[in-house]
Amino acid sequence: MLTINVAVLLTVVVLLRLRRRTEPRTRFDETFGVVLVLVLGVLLAPTSFGQWVLDLVGQLAHGITRASG
Protein backbone atom coordinates (compact mmCIF):
# COMPACT_ATOMS: atom_id res chain seq x y z
CA MET A 1 0.00 0.00 0.00
CA LEU A 2 1.33 3.42 -0.98
CA THR A 3 0.92 6.33 1.42
CA ILE A 4 1.57 9.96 0.63
CA ASN A 5 2.63 12.46 3.25
CA VAL A 6 0.42 15.55 2.88
CA ALA A 7 3.25 17.90 3.88
CA VAL A 8 5.51 16.48 1.17
CA LEU A 9 2.74 16.77 -1.40
CA LEU A 10 2.04 20.40 -0.45
CA THR A 11 5.77 21.16 -0.58
CA VAL A 12 5.92 19.87 -4.14
CA VAL A 13 2.87 21.94 -5.10
CA VAL A 14 4.33 25.10 -3.53
CA LEU A 15 7.69 24.58 -5.25
CA LEU A 16 6.00 24.03 -8.61
CA ARG A 17 3.98 27.21 -8.15
CA LEU A 18 7.11 29.18 -7.21
CA ARG A 19 8.87 28.06 -10.39
CA ARG A 20 6.34 29.90 -12.56
CA ARG A 21 7.33 33.25 -13.93
CA THR A 22 6.22 36.18 -11.84
CA GLU A 23 3.43 37.81 -13.77
CA PRO A 24 0.38 39.63 -12.51
CA ARG A 25 -1.92 37.07 -10.98
CA THR A 26 -5.55 37.13 -10.08
CA ARG A 27 -6.60 37.74 -6.50
CA PHE A 28 -7.80 34.13 -6.26
CA ASP A 29 -4.41 32.84 -7.41
CA GLU A 30 -2.59 34.93 -4.79
CA THR A 31 -5.01 33.86 -2.05
CA PHE A 32 -4.65 30.21 -3.05
CA GLY A 33 -0.87 30.49 -2.81
CA VAL A 34 -1.03 32.06 0.63
CA VAL A 35 -3.43 29.37 1.88
CA LEU A 36 -1.15 26.62 0.54
CA VAL A 37 1.88 28.04 2.32
CA LEU A 38 -0.05 28.53 5.59
CA VAL A 39 -1.35 24.96 5.54
CA LEU A 40 2.17 23.70 4.82
CA GLY A 41 3.44 25.69 7.80
CA VAL A 42 0.78 24.24 10.07
CA LEU A 43 1.67 20.72 8.94
CA LEU A 44 5.42 21.23 9.41
CA ALA A 45 5.28 23.14 12.72
CA PRO A 46 4.87 20.18 15.11
CA THR A 47 7.59 18.12 13.39
CA SER A 48 11.24 18.08 14.45
CA PHE A 49 12.14 19.86 11.19
CA GLY A 50 9.59 22.59 11.96
CA GLN A 51 11.02 23.04 15.45
CA TRP A 52 14.54 23.25 13.99
CA VAL A 53 13.42 25.98 11.56
CA LEU A 54 11.71 27.86 14.40
CA ASP A 55 14.87 27.70 16.53
CA LEU A 56 17.02 28.85 13.60
CA VAL A 57 14.77 31.82 12.82
CA GLY A 58 14.64 32.72 16.52
CA GLN A 59 18.43 32.70 16.76
CA LEU A 60 18.73 34.85 13.63
CA ALA A 61 16.20 37.35 14.96
CA HIS A 62 17.97 37.45 18.33
CA GLY A 63 21.33 38.02 16.62
CA ILE A 64 19.94 40.83 14.46
CA THR A 65 18.29 42.47 17.47
CA ARG A 66 21.51 42.27 19.48
CA ALA A 67 23.60 43.63 16.58
CA SER A 68 21.32 46.63 16.02
CA GLY A 69 21.13 47.60 19.69
Side-chain angles (χ1 to χ4, degrees):
M1 183 169 150
L2 177 67
T3 59
I4 297 175
N5 188 339
V6 177
V8 172
L9 182 63
L10 276 177
T11 302
V12 170
V13 171
V14 168
L15 290 176
L16 288 175
R17 289 179 57 86
L18 288 175
R19 287 187 49 194
R20 294 190 326 182
R21 295 207 285 163
T22 53
E23 297 174 357
R25 299 179 179 172
T26 63
R27 185 172 298 271
F28 174 76
D29 197 25
E30 291 176 355
T31 304
F32 184 67
V34 169
V35 169
L36 276 178
V37 172
L38 285 175
V39 169
L40 180 62
V42 168
L43 290 174
L44 288 180
T47 64
S48 60
F49 176 73
Q51 294 301 313
W52 177 79
V53 170
L54 179 64
D55 291 340
L56 179 68
V57 171
Q59 289 176 2
L60 286 173
H62 182 68
I64 291 170
T65 303
R66 200 170 6 153
S68 68

